[in-house]
Amino acid sequence: MSRGAPKGVAVAPNLSKSKVMAYRQCPKRLWLEVHRPELREDSAGAQKLFKAGNRVGEVARRLYDRRGTGSLIDVSAEGYAGALERTKELLSRNGPIFEAGFSAAGVLAFADVLVRRRRAGSPAWHAIEVKSSSKVKPQHEEDLAVQAFAMRKAGLVPGGFAIAHVDTKWTYRGHEDYRGLLKEVDLTAGTKKRMKEVPQWVAGAAGVASARKEPAIGMGAHCAKPYACPFNGHCAESEPKTTYPVAWLPNVRTKALKAFIADARVRDVRQVPDDLLNERQLRVKQQTVLGRPFLDARAAAAVKADFRPARFLDFESVMFAVPIWPGTRPFQQILFQFSLHTVRPDGEVAHEEFLDLSGAEPSRPLAEALIRACGEKGTIYVYSASFEVTRIRELAARYRDLARPLKAILARIKDLRPVAENHYYHPAQQGSWSLKAVAPTVAPELDYDNLDGVADGGAAGEAYMEAIASGTTAARKADIERQLRMYCGRDTEALVLFWRRIKGD
Ligand code: SF4
């Protein structure tokens, strides 16, 4: 797992592997990490990834040390010099080493796992980097190449290099038995090949790190790939401002439009010729410039023939890199909450919901509650149906005795998102048809910014994890429960109001 300097530990003598990788993403990112670390803002998504990485790392140490003969080097406690010294000492023994440190030729790198394996008849150290991702990614080979370079320059030539990533096809059987969670992929050949490029990367990174001035690099696709850059906020402030940003145009896919926008001078939608835009993009441009909302009559027709009562459904889910419930897989979306608003034919609105914070696996109780709440009549409206449809299908496949009523629910689902995308737009959406962008344009009180605490799906999953954790106090759990109920209820309330708006009620 990648790491920077631990807090309270003297600054590393060489550039860490994560700094070299930051340089590979963007030289300005490296410069900011070295000179302006206080500007770093890790998104909630990034923090979630760190936590998942730590948990996978813990399990990996157990999996690669089944005899319990391994040693973990803790740079926070031992300091850089101590960690490097102890690595040398442990390399003369045979047990697995976790976080072995190597510092040479301008780079400092810590190996997640070093294990002795036989290769061509004789034992050799093998380096394995543990990743919480579900597959090998192009940047993993670069990461290993930097690792390999530091090791080789420090005097160790490992026999092989691999990535161990989470296997999403594996199912947890319980009893803390995580054999099979990680899938090891040998990248020895690719790592050795890429290692030749490392001296150039290290020299480039060292030059940027020692520069006095922030590199003049504009924002672009590199800010999100391969990782969401934590300096987005800082860099966005210095980007040229425009009243109607071209980034508001949705689904820019055609070659001609992409090429036109890639021209650095094109920043405003007004600069884009109409004939390069599809119907939806043109609507965004026109309504944005006019400053007026758009709702066409076909919207009402799209929901006119639907069945009553009208029901509005939304789910919240959680996923674990390391599953906690038997029968579940890594990164499986597990539903723990739903909100269902029902508008009866007389206009009366009822609300039902399900939320299980007991810590027991919530899937089956949720499926049963969903069947009861949805009844047998009425269209069930959702927003971006693929999520709800996939989750209900999974429940039907898992609980065969509930398959028939769950499939009956599936047959009644109708997606309001295409209706919104094709027939509704408000300039305040700024090119987005997410429910969070649409809702406040229908009713200002539906603004998700005024929610206390949980205000998006990712935060809902995080709050759920906190609520079921053993150390969470009853008071905190009660507060999380209140926030989750408010948030999920807000989604279906927004659907009701949007549906009424397009019907002209
Ligand atoms: S936000 Fe983009 S331009 Fe700024 S440092 Fe990060 S990657 Fe570089």
Side-chain angles (χ1 to χ4, degrees), residues 126-153:
H126 282 242
I128 300 141
E129 285 299 288
V130 179
K131 303 292 176 190
S132 58
S133 58
S134 60
K135 59 182 180 190
V136 173
K137 298 183 177 172
Q139 66 270 22
H140 292 159
E141 212 162 67
E142 293 195 4
D143 186 282
L144 272 175
V146 179
Q147 182 75 54
F149 175 81
M151 286 176 169
R152 188 176 278 251
K153 292 290 175 188

Side-chain angles (χ1 to χ4, degrees), residues 66 157 170 196 208 231 253 262 275 333 484 491:
R66 306 202 72 79
V157 184
W170 171 82
K196 295 181 190 127
V208 169
F231 296 101
R253 296 214 178 103
D275 59 7
Q333 298 266 11
L484 285 168
D491 276 346

